[in-house]
Amino acid sequence: MPATDEGLVHHIASALLHSARQHKPRIYNGVSGQVLRRCLDDAPLRAALFRFIDVLPQLQGSAAQAAHLRAYLDEAGSTGLLPGLMKLSARPSLSWLATLQIRHLAQNFLVEETPRALALVLNKLAALPATVTLDAVGEAVLTEAEADAYRDRVLWQLQQDWCAKHGQRQAPHLSIKLTALAPGFDPLDAGGTRRRVYARLTPILELAAERQATVTIDMEHHELKQQIVDLFLDAVVHFNDPRWQPAIALQAYLPETRDDLSRVLEAAQRSGRRLGVRLVKGAYWDQEHAWALERGWPMPCYLDKAATDANYEALTAILLARTDTLHVAIAGHNPRSLAVAIAHARQAGLTATQWEIQMLHGMAEPLRDALIEQDVPLRIYVPTGDLLSGMAYLIRRLLENTAGTSILRQTWLDEAQDAALLQRPAPPVPSASTPVSAPPPTLPLSDFSRPEVRAAFQRALDSMQAQLSERPATGAERYQSRNPHAPQQILGSARMTPLNEVDAIIAAARAAQRGWAARPVVERVNTLSALADHIDAARHHFAAIQVLEAGKPWREADADVAEAIDFLRYYGAQMLALSGDHATVDFPGERNRYCYRPRGLAVVIAPWNFPLAILTGMTAAALVTGNAALIKPALPGLQSALALRAAMDAVGIPRDVCPLLIGDADLGRALVAHSAVEIIAFTGSRAVGLDILHEAHTPRSGQRHIKQVVCEMGGKNAIVVDADADLDEAVGGILASAFGYSGQKCSACSRVIAVEAIAPSLQQRLVAAAATLRWGDPADPSCDHGPLISAAARQKALDYIAIGGQEAHLLWQGSVPQGDGSGWYCPPTIFTEVRPEHRIAREEIFGPVLALMTAPDFATALAIANNCDYALTGGVYSRLPRHLALARDEFRVGNLYLNRRTTGARVGVQPFGGIALSGTGIQAGGPDYLKQFMWMQSSSENIMRKGFVPGGE
């Protein structure tokens, strides 16, 4: 790669900067410009403005607009003339002013998708002169209809003869996002995603070939990057028509982009085609950073702007040295970065057919004009759409114009010194990825966007399948585990624990408990930590068991294993904090302390729906506090329990301290009733939980203690959808909450209560999005959802569907595998016109059945949500602060989720547990949980002797 003359770069950059600074960009002028400039130094006001812009397209009527604007401004707490004027407009009679200004602001960046509006912009750009690339703004879609609409918008743009009509000296040039072409764009389902994308990409590229157009595939967030690159390179081969020009955008803020560029170069050489590459800095940094911290994944982007700038310059040099193979577009608004590109192009003698600079419509127009003065080939990226579809795009552009690191802000508003703006950036430290700034609070979930992770998981599944016995075990005393997707498949068997052995097992456990409790706390904690490490090392193996035995799709199975590991590590850390003596209040001559002691013998009765996580969590709490734990798993989760007990053997947890008992309800009743048992930890149905509470609190002969019960039961969880809800978030969150693991979670959403103003549009999108979900074999990564756990569970869900058909209106029902041997599948079903008194609105179903209800206003919707025997989880989708505050105050649930799904609680992050008839109010994975397995002893010691106080003066 030839070195760039730094003197030439500085000369060009200085000329660009000097010319550009003669005028301010349009965005900084006028009323909206004054607002933006005021927001630069007032972060709360800036946040208030962006929040209002985000919600505006959803608001119906001036009253709603005024209420939201006022609420956001009040929360910002900004003072001065401009905030005062903005508050003045936050009333119904004047809210149109704010709305008008935001629409004007949007028009700086976004062109209305009509012939008249496009003609106006294209004629102006042709006169500069500059060519264009059109982008029908849109990103990930939820429904097939939305994907069809995006495809049709792109086809409409291709069908127009923009070049002849508006003086553009070019063939059509479009930019598209692949995620807008298919719902369910998922790296875990690469083949299915390809088929769905190609169904709509094919007519686009066929018309592009006919029109001799260029189609650039825009890059999106990092989790999808590999898949987008793969699809682009595949399209180069699959649509091998030389009449269309393939191009792709690559992001300089990713250290791995150089590898992606190498793949593009190799593809160009193999295909014999000249491929296009648009180099951008990257527009998703804030999201990537937030997601990396939340997920515990490495930050994929450089953490500082200088490293991105340096990588951008290095990639520019590589690209412009390969114009024999590539058509290069250098996209940006940084005078120094663009000057580097111009210098390379001039040194190499490149022509306008080999490279170009690209800029965004409405961004840095003075710099655009300065580039035209330099006589460089210039293309303007023109996004088209309406305010609603373009909202995410608009906010990204506003962030670029107002962020503290923004080159636009530094150039025109902060008036940074030329030397600082033109300084050569320091080269980045080579790294495959940049670590996040702090360790994650929980074990990161597997990143299935990485092919090596998918391959490792598949190997674990294949290994499990290969190890299955060809013959079912026989004997009435043995339980046979079956695959709910293929019930004829026996996964394994185990001996049932006879009831006449329970006394001996309990006696042995009581004897072993004394030695276990006598071990130092650190030793018990280290043992559980070793168990966590052991499971972590075989993580995919444990998850594969759940795919086959519990019918969990890949991500659900992986999350269950991660949660089990989190419980072991979290409770270990909690026990270290609780151990030893703790002071209360001391006085001269008196010392006051308290400590925690193990209760003795715990019975752990675990459910099948989280066969490793909940069993491990309850068992870990019992063991780390010094108790013995008799663990009785639900039979449909037996193979996970056997694997856990084998892992305990590997790390040295004595079998007598934690025996595994295998049996049905009769065994559970015997354990609960035994007089030697002091703690019962149960997760399961309401009926069984209430029976346990009754039995446990009825002392048996010879019992000299009150049994402690930690009880989590069911849920009939509601999500309230406000009139201003973001439907993209609400629809996705509802479907994940209601149909995740086929609705077999106590935290699952089974009721949606929508404010009437939004109910029709919510129902329409919900049904359309639900229709895109894929039901089938959980071992197949293309399937989102699998079967129910048993034939009885399936029949129960089908019975409730029949009840719903009598009580309410069947709005939608999906299709599932059917026929002999097809598994215990229940069709996902959505009912509407459901009333609070209906059984499907009151009784727990534990299947993929969703009841839709309406309410005239938010307060009524919240009241309906609270009118329930259960109180486990609840969700609210709203963007009005006072409604969110009302939900915090009045939504009576153990776990409240605002503007997110109601499932997926993380250990130590969202402690989990319910009240009312959902549980005893103890949150698993929270700071109070271990205390339920111990009793507290308070001691007070008089240390005064004959007037002498030890330690006194």
Side-chain angles (χ1 to χ4, degrees):
M1 153 186 13
T4 309
D5 184 337
E6 186 61 27
L8 179 59
V9 170
H10 192 273
H11 172 74
I12 297 170
S14 296
L16 289 174
L17 194 58
H18 175 75
S19 177
R21 277 183 159 170
Q22 303 305 307
H23 305 282
K24 276 190 170 60
R26 184 174 51 179
I27 186 64
Y28 298 130
N29 296 324
V31 175
S32 59
Q34 294 178 27
V35 173
L36 283 180
R37 291 200 299 273
R38 174 66 171 84
C39 288
L40 298 181
D41 300 317
D42 191 334
L45 183 62
R46 179 169 173 256
L49 174 64
F50 285 7
R51 290 171 71 188
F52 184 63
I53 291 172
D54 173 59
V55 74
L56 180 60
Q58 186 64 37
L59 300 180
Q60 301 295 321
S62 59
Q65 295 168 1
H68 284 75
L69 181 57
R70 166 66 70 172
Y72 299 150
L73 292 173
D74 286 346
E75 283 194 350
S78 301
T79 60
L81 178 60
L82 182 59
L85 290 173
M86 292 175 70
K87 287 182 180 180
L88 182 65
S89 69
R91 57 182 64 184
S93 60
L94 295 176
S95 63
W96 63 272
L97 287 172
T99 302
L100 182 65
Q101 285 301 317
I102 289 173
R103 291 191 178 277
H104 176 72
L105 193 64
Q107 289 168 0
N108 282 292
F109 307 109
L110 194 64
V111 179
E112 186 180 357
E113 212 163 77
T114 65
R116 184 169 180 269
L118 275 168
L120 183 64
V121 171
L122 293 175
N123 286 333
K124 288 181 179 179
L125 294 177
L128 286 176
T131 54
V132 300
T133 181
L134 296 177
D135 170 27
V137 168
E139 297 186 19
V141 294
L142 292 172
T143 72
E144 300 288 354
E146 291 166 6
D148 286 342
Y150 180 81
R151 174 206 58 205
D152 292 344
R153 291 168 60 203
V154 174
L155 290 173
W156 179 79
Q157 289 186 345
L158 275 172
Q159 288 163 355
Q160 310 305 308
D161 192 2
W162 301 115
C163 305
K165 291 180 181 177
H166 307 294
Q168 294 291 328
R169 303 177 305 280
Q170 61 164 9
H173 200 295
L174 272 70
S175 298
I176 65 173
K177 287 187 170 62
L178 295 184
T179 60
L181 287 173
F185 194 100
D186 188 351
L188 194 52
D189 180 21
T193 297
R194 180 186 184 276
R195 288 191 298 273
R196 291 188 292 275
V197 167
Y198 268 30
R200 296 181 179 89
L201 183 62
T202 297
I204 290 173
L205 296 187
E206 288 175 347
L207 184 57
E210 182 181 324
R211 292 302 179 101
Q212 299 184 358
T214 296
V215 178
T216 300
I217 305 301
D218 272 334
M219 192 54 66
E220 304 180 55
H221 57 86
H222 179 261
E223 188 179 2
L224 303 180
K225 177 188 70 68
Q226 189 67 54
Q227 191 173 13
I228 290 172
V229 173
D230 289 345
L231 284 168
F232 167 73
L233 297 179
D234 184 68
V236 170
V237 175
H238 188 78
F239 300 98
N240 191 24
D241 188 325
R243 295 177 299 166
W244 78 281
Q245 171 68 54
I248 189 170
L250 298 178
Q251 299 159 318
Y253 67 10
L254 300 175
E256 61 195 49
T257 293
R258 191 170 301 205
D259 295 334
D260 297 326
L261 177 56
S262 296
R263 292 186 63 199
V264 173
L265 282 166
E266 291 171 5
Q269 292 168 344
R270 286 196 308 269
S271 66
R273 300 185 66 179
R274 191 161 174 249
L275 304 181
V277 173
R278 173 196 293 144
L279 181 64
V280 301
K281 297 247 174 121
Y284 299 88
W285 191 95
D286 294 283
Q287 289 172 275
E288 299 288 6
H289 186 243
W291 287 334
L293 288 173
E294 178 189 352
R295 298 169 176 174
W297 292 355
M299 173 63 173
C301 310
Y302 291 113
L303 290 178
D304 64 279
K305 180 179 179 297
T308 295
D309 288 344
N311 194 43
Y312 186 91
E313 292 189 9
L315 291 169
T316 295
I318 296 172
L319 286 166
L320 291 176
R322 297 304 308 269
T323 54
D324 58 326
T325 306
L326 305 174
H327 184 278
V328 179
I330 305 298
H333 310 94
N334 184 320
R336 156 129 196 141
S337 299
L338 298 180
V340 168
I342 295 170
H344 273 293
R346 287 180 178 173
Q347 285 180 304
L350 302 182
T351 67
T353 62
Q354 295 173 293
W355 83 292
E356 65 190 27
I357 286 177
Q358 289 190 12
M359 296 183 68
L360 295 170
H361 172 64
M363 296 279 281
E365 298 97 330
L367 179 60
R368 176 201 67 191
D369 296 339
L371 288 168
I372 291 172
E373 292 174 2
Q374 291 284 332
D375 195 27
V376 298
L378 179 65
R379 186 181 302 277
I380 304 299
Y381 184 102
V382 178
T384 68
D386 57 33
L387 188 59
L388 181 59
S389 64
M391 193 51 57
Y393 179 85
L394 172 59
I395 290 178
R396 282 201 294 271
R397 298 293 80 80
L398 293 177
L399 284 169
E400 288 182 42
N401 278 277
T402 60
T405 57
S406 166
I407 190 68
L408 304 176
R409 170 178 172 172
Q410 293 172 6
T411 300
W412 282 283
L413 297 182
D414 294 346
E415 297 182 353
Q417 296 295 313
D418 287 9
L421 293 174
L422 303 182
Q423 183 178 4
R424 186 174 189 174
V429 177
S431 172
S433 61
T434 306
V436 294
S437 57
T442 55
L443 184 70
L445 301 181
S446 294
D447 180 1
F448 287 112
S449 70
R450 294 165 52 195
E452 67 272 18
V453 175
R454 298 196 298 272
F457 198 98
Q458 185 63 61
R459 285 195 298 271
L461 272 173
D462 293 342
S463 176
M464 281 288 301
Q465 293 277 18
Q467 294 172 19
L468 295 179
S469 173
E470 294 183 0
R471 298 180 185 173
T474 59
E477 77 283 359
R478 299 186 71 85
Y479 175 80
Q480 297 178 351
S481 300
R482 295 181 180 272
N483 182 342
H485 166 70
Q488 71 278 6
Q489 184 180 45
I490 305 298
L491 304 176
S493 68
R495 175 180 178 269
M496 303 279 278
T497 303
L499 293 181
N500 60 13
E501 295 181 8
V502 169
D503 286 341
I505 293 171
I506 287 179
R510 292 183 70 185
Q513 186 267 334
R514 289 188 286 273
W516 177 255
R519 294 190 185 189
V521 168
V522 171
E523 183 178 332
R524 296 199 302 266
V525 169
N526 287 342
T527 301
L528 293 192
S529 178
L531 179 58
D533 293 343
H534 183 91
I535 295 173
D536 196 5
R539 175 174 179 170
H540 294 328
H541 168 74
F542 279 89
I545 293 173
Q546 294 196 40
V547 171
L548 297 178
E549 181 185 37
K552 289 199 171 190
W554 288 26
R555 286 192 177 96
E556 296 275 2
D558 176 73
D560 189 85
V561 178
E563 186 177 1
I565 296 167
D566 290 338
F567 274 127
L568 290 165
R569 291 172 176 164
Y570 178 80
Y571 287 149
Q574 289 290 304
M575 189 61 219
L576 290 176
L578 292 172
S579 64
D581 287 343
H582 303 265
T584 56
V585 178
D586 288 340
F587 302 99
E590 182 177 285
R591 180 183 293 119
N592 295 291
R593 299 287 185 270
Y594 69 91
C595 65
Y596 294 98
R597 301 189 184 280
R599 290 180 178 272
L601 184 63
V603 166
V604 173
I605 301 177
W608 51 261
N609 60 336
F610 289 88
L612 187 67
I614 294 180
L615 176 64
T616 301
M618 295 191 294
T619 303
L623 292 177
V624 79
T625 50
N627 302 285
L630 284 70
I631 57 177
K632 181 204 164 301
L635 289 174
L638 179 57
Q639 296 304 312
S640 286
L642 291 169
L644 174 62
R645 184 55 256 187
M648 290 181 178
D649 291 339
V651 300
I653 296 176
R655 288 208 165 217
D656 284 346
V657 170
C658 188
L660 172 63
L661 291 84
I662 302 171
D664 55 17
D666 290 339
L667 176 62
R669 281 190 286 267
L671 294 173
V672 168
H674 203 286
S675 60
V677 170
E678 296 185 87
I679 318 157
I680 301 163
F682 168 79
T683 301
S685 71
R686 182 176 80 172
V688 175
L690 293 178
D691 285 346
I692 288 174
L693 287 164
H694 180 268
E695 175 62 42
H697 295 152
T698 304
R700 293 294 181 115
S701 176
Q703 180 178 325
R704 304 178 65 182
H705 58 269
I706 298 173
K707 295 179 182 179
Q708 175 76 355
V709 180
V710 181
C711 187
E712 182 202 317
M713 297 178 282
K716 189 66 180 175
N717 311 297
I719 290 178
V720 174
V721 183
D722 204 357
D724 67 347
D726 183 326
L727 285 184
D728 288 338
E729 292 183 355
V731 169
I734 290 169
L735 290 179
S737 303
F739 294 151
Y741 190 36
S742 300
Q744 299 178 112
K745 301 180 183 181
C746 54
S747 58
C749 168
S750 58
R751 297 179 293 152
V752 171
I753 304 140
V755 173
E756 287 176 352
I758 203 172
S761 53
L762 172 66
Q763 289 183 11
Q764 181 182 15
R765 291 196 69 193
L766 194 62
V767 166
T772 68
L773 301 178
R774 299 172 297 278
W775 300 72
D777 185 358
D780 182 350
S782 69
C783 295
D784 302 303
H785 306 283
L788 297 192
I789 194 65
S790 67
R794 177 179 181 271
Q795 189 58 53
K796 177 187 174 183
L798 292 175
D799 289 345
Y800 270 107
I801 289 173
I803 292 169
Q806 297 170 355
E807 293 181 328
H809 172 69
L810 177 62
L811 180 65
W812 172 83
Q813 189 168 75
S815 60
V816 294
Q818 295 180 355
D820 294 340
S822 62
W824 297 312
Y825 285 89
C826 173
T829 305
I830 301 176
F831 288 102
T832 189
E833 299 178 16
V834 180
R835 297 198 302 271
E837 66 271 18
H838 287 163
R839 290 181 63 186
I840 60 170
R842 305 197 68 83
E843 299 175 10
E844 186 178 38
I845 299 174
F846 231 62
V849 181
L850 182 62
L852 301 187
M853 311 164 73
T854 59
D857 51 52
F858 182 80
T860 305
L862 203 57
I864 294 172
N866 276 327
N867 182 19
C868 184
D869 293 340
Y870 298 94
L872 183 53
T873 69
V876 171
Y877 283 90
S878 176
R879 288 182 280 189
L880 188 60
R882 62 182 174 86
H883 284 179
L884 295 175
L886 184 66
R888 293 188 191 96
D889 291 341
E890 297 190 9
F891 204 163
R892 193 169 178 267
V893 289
N895 286 75
L896 176 62
Y897 298 98
L898 305 177
N899 292 314
R900 56 147 288 175
R901 61 191 174 109
T902 63
T903 55
R906 299 165 66 189
V907 175
V909 180
Q910 296 109 11
F912 185 81
I915 56 172
L917 292 181
S918 285
T920 50
I922 303 303
Q923 308 285 81
D928 298 327
Y929 193 73
L930 291 188
K931 297 176 183 178
Q932 314 308 311
F933 294 79
M934 300 181 287
W935 58 276
M936 188 176 78
Q937 182 180 57
S938 174
S939 65
S940 181
E941 180 184 1
N942 173 22
I943 60 174
M944 186 181 295
R945 294 294 180 270
K946 307 299 183 184
F948 168 68
V949 180
E953 291 291 336

